[in-house]
């Protein structure tokens, strides 16, 4: 895709930026309202750990099953409408999960919520990148930082509901209604018009016109050259897309290492107290939030490529040193440096995928988001297998390795604008 508008943002663009920020906030808050209620749901359903684990896995499964439909929906209905509809349906799915009377209904509701969450994620990023093109500078990282604020808000709401002794139905209904209304109001201020790119049609028209002006002989002579250029473009696009998937998956892998393994590594391997063990994930998320808050300014000044390479180096060195010299304090700092280092990777990969030539609007973004979620699903068992074979300390080497991979692949990202 090319730049929509390079002039300073008008009031409509500023309103659209606020609207997208609201969508990211609600997306982060909705599922976070459910997570602290999982122990109560598990107890109410009277299920064991195995059944609970399978049921909870329905959420990422739904995301993977439905994720590839996002691009087609965006092209047909527009990214703003799809993001809002997905938000409302995610809220309904979360509410249904809380009200489920059986493990089958619980898993089915999570499947719906995960599917809608995946579609919402692609659509809100697509609309955010559309607004970013209107601004003519990077703003996508700020949206992901606001998502983190939404997640913290949702978790705090759940804690408050538990303290107030609100039932699951009351609590999750309030959450679904409040954030559903907020998303619907935000739609009024989203950008209007289709998400398709007019420049692509112009290129197509110019190509057709040029071909029409050629004589039959000239067309036959130039055909091999055009075919070769098309082949090279497709190969280049495929290579870049694969690299972007790996960059996004690296960021996702580091996030998952913090959420799934930080507390366990600190408590079991380094014998940290429960409070201190919880600090590993908090440090990672907190540093990631800081990195996203300042990420747009860094990208505008140094370019996506330099920021990603530097972040990969920070993550590799920070976590590498923490694993080489294992102490509780050093490990917490290691997770913090890893979170800071990967803060801009997912937004950068999504931005670059949305700009790839030769793809339909939303297709590159959809593919990267879908495969990134697949990485979220596969990374915990992979780290677990390595940990069982050797140790969790060895399993967590995936974090510095992810940083090194980013350094190698960051060449596909945009350099600094001159």
């Amino acid at each position: 895709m090319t730049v929509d508008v390079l002039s300073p943002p008008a009031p409509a663009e500023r309103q659209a930026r606020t609207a997208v920020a609201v969508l990211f906030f609600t997306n982060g808050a909705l599922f976070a309202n459910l997570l602290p209620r999982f122990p109560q749901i598990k107890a109410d359903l009277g299920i064991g750990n195995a059944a609970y684990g399978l049921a909870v896995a329905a959420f990422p499964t739904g995301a993977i099953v439905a994720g590839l439909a996002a691009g087609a929906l965006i092209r047909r209905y527009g990214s703003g409408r799809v993001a809002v509809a997905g938000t409302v349906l995610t809220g309904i799915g979360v509410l249904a999960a809380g009200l489920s009377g059986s493990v089958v209904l619980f898993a089915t509701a999570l499947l719906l919520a995960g599917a809608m969450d995946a579609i919402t994620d692609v659509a809100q990023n697509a609309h955010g990148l559309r607004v970013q093109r209107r601004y003519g500078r990077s703003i996508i990282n700020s949206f992901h930082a606001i998502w983190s604020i939404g997640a913290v808000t949702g978790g705090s709401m759940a804690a408050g509901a538990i303290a107030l002794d609100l039932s699951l139905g009351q609590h999750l209904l309030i959450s679904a209604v409040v954030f559903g209304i907020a998303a619907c109001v935000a739609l009024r201020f989203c950008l209007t018009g289709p998400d398709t790119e007019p420049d692509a049609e112009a290129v197509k028209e110019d190509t057709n016109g040029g071909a029409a002006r050629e004589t039959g002989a000239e067309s036959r002579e130039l055909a091999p050259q055009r075919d070769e250029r098309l082949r090279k473009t497709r190969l280049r696009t495929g290579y870049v897309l694969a690299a972007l998937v790996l960059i996004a998956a690296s960021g996702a892998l580091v996030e998952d290492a913090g959420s799934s393994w930080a507390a366990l590594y600190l408590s079991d391997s380094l014998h940290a107290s429960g409070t201190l063990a919880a600090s590993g994930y908090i440090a990672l998320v907190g540093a990631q939030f800081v990195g996203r808050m300042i990420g747009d300014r860094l990208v505008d000044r140094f370019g996506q490529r330099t920021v990603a390479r530097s972040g990969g180096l920070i993550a590799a060195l920070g976590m590498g040193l923490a694993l080489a010299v294992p102490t509780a304090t050093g490990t917490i700092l290691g997770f913090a440096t890893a979170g800071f280092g990967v803060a801009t990777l997912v937004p950068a990969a999504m931005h670059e995928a949305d700009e790839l030539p030769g793809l339909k609007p939303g297709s590159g973004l959809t593919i990267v988001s879908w495969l990134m979620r697949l990485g979220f699903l596969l990374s915990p068992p992979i780290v677990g297998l390595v940990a069982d074979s050797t140790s969790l300390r060895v399993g967590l080497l995936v974090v510095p390795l992810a940083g090194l991979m980013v350094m190698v692949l960051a060449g596909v990202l945009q350099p600094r604008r001159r």
Side-chain angles (χ1 to χ4, degrees):
M1 291 186 181
T2 57
V3 175
D4 290 332
V5 176
L6 288 179
S7 57
E13 277 75 51
R14 291 195 291 271
Q15 290 175 351
R17 180 177 183 178
T18 301
V20 174
V22 170
L23 294 176
F24 270 82
F25 180 88
T26 57
N27 182 249
L30 274 172
F31 192 62
N33 264 279
L34 181 63
L35 290 174
R37 309 288 283 201
F38 273 171
Q40 181 183 344
I41 294 172
K42 180 176 179 290
D44 289 344
L45 294 177
I47 55 177
N49 289 326
Y52 169 75
L54 288 172
V56 171
F59 187 87
T61 301
I64 291 168
V65 169
L68 289 179
L73 291 172
I74 289 169
R75 288 191 292 274
R76 180 162 186 176
Y77 299 107
S79 55
R81 290 191 184 95
V82 172
V84 172
T87 298
V88 172
L89 291 172
T90 300
I92 292 173
V94 168
L95 174 60
L99 296 176
S100 298
S102 70
V103 66
V104 173
L105 291 176
F106 177 55
T108 302
L110 287 181
L111 190 77
L112 169 65
M116 294 303 103
D117 178 76
I119 291 172
T120 302
D121 184 43
V122 175
Q124 68 187 11
N125 274 284
H127 207 78
L129 290 168
R130 188 178 170 196
V131 175
Q132 176 172 280
R133 288 192 289 274
R134 296 288 186 100
Y135 266 67
R137 59 183 173 85
S138 179
I139 60 173
I140 191 66
N141 289 289
S142 66
F143 293 138
H144 285 257
I146 290 169
W147 185 94
S148 299
I149 296 175
V152 172
T153 301
S156 301
M157 283 178 62
I162 293 170
L164 293 172
D165 201 27
L166 291 180
S167 68
L168 276 164
Q170 291 172 326
H171 162 217
L172 296 177
L173 178 61
I174 292 171
S175 171
V177 170
V178 169
F179 295 121
I181 290 174
C184 290
V185 172
L187 180 60
R188 289 191 58 207
F189 302 98
C190 288
L191 296 176
T192 57
D195 285 72
T196 52
E197 189 61 58
D199 288 345
E201 295 298 323
V203 171
K204 180 179 179 181
E205 182 180 345
D206 179 71
T207 302
N208 291 338
R213 286 191 295 269
E214 294 169 359
T215 66
E218 290 172 338
S219 180
R220 287 192 295 272
E221 290 176 0
L222 293 174
Q225 299 175 16
R226 286 196 299 268
D227 291 343
E228 180 63 18
R229 286 197 299 269
L230 182 60
R231 186 185 69 82
K232 288 182 178 179
T233 299
R234 287 175 175 170
L235 286 174
R236 167 68 179 169
T237 299
Y239 163 73
V240 172
L241 191 59
L244 293 175
V245 167
L246 290 174
I247 289 172
S250 296
L253 187 150
V254 172
E255 289 182 40
D256 181 77
S259 62
S260 299
W261 301 106
L264 188 63
Y265 177 66
L266 282 162
S267 60
D268 289 1
S269 300
L270 301 181
H271 310 293
S273 66
T275 302
L276 190 61
S279 300
Y281 178 62
I282 294 171
L284 184 145
V285 174
Q288 186 180 58
F289 170 75
V290 172
R292 285 175 171 172
M293 287 298 293
I294 66 175
D296 290 317
R297 280 173 286 175
L298 294 174
V299 168
D300 285 334
R301 182 168 183 178
F302 301 108
Q304 294 274 23
R305 184 182 300 172
T306 299
V307 172
R309 276 183 176 154
S310 301
L313 178 62
I314 290 171
L317 286 179
M319 198 63 194
L321 286 172
L323 293 172
V325 186
T327 63
T329 302
T331 298
I332 292 170
L333 289 175
F335 277 111
T337 58
F340 184 81
V342 303
T344 66
L345 293 186
V346 173
M350 288 184 168
H351 169 258
E352 198 68 31
D354 203 43
E355 301 282 331
L356 282 176
L359 296 178
K360 294 178 180 179
S363 295
L365 185 60
T366 299
I367 293 170
V368 168
S369 177
W370 185 76
L371 290 175
M372 179 187 71
R373 286 176 179 270
L374 191 62
F376 266 123
L377 185 63
L378 295 178
S379 61
I382 291 174
V383 173
L385 286 172
V386 174
D388 285 344
S389 301
T390 53
S391 68
L392 185 51
R393 180 182 173 192
V394 174
L396 286 174
L397 284 173
V398 295
V399 175
L401 289 176
L404 294 175
M405 181 182 292
V406 171
M407 293 175 63
V408 172
L409 298 174
V412 301
L413 300 173
Q414 290 292 329
R416 178 184 177 186
R417 294 180 181 179
R418 299 186 182 277

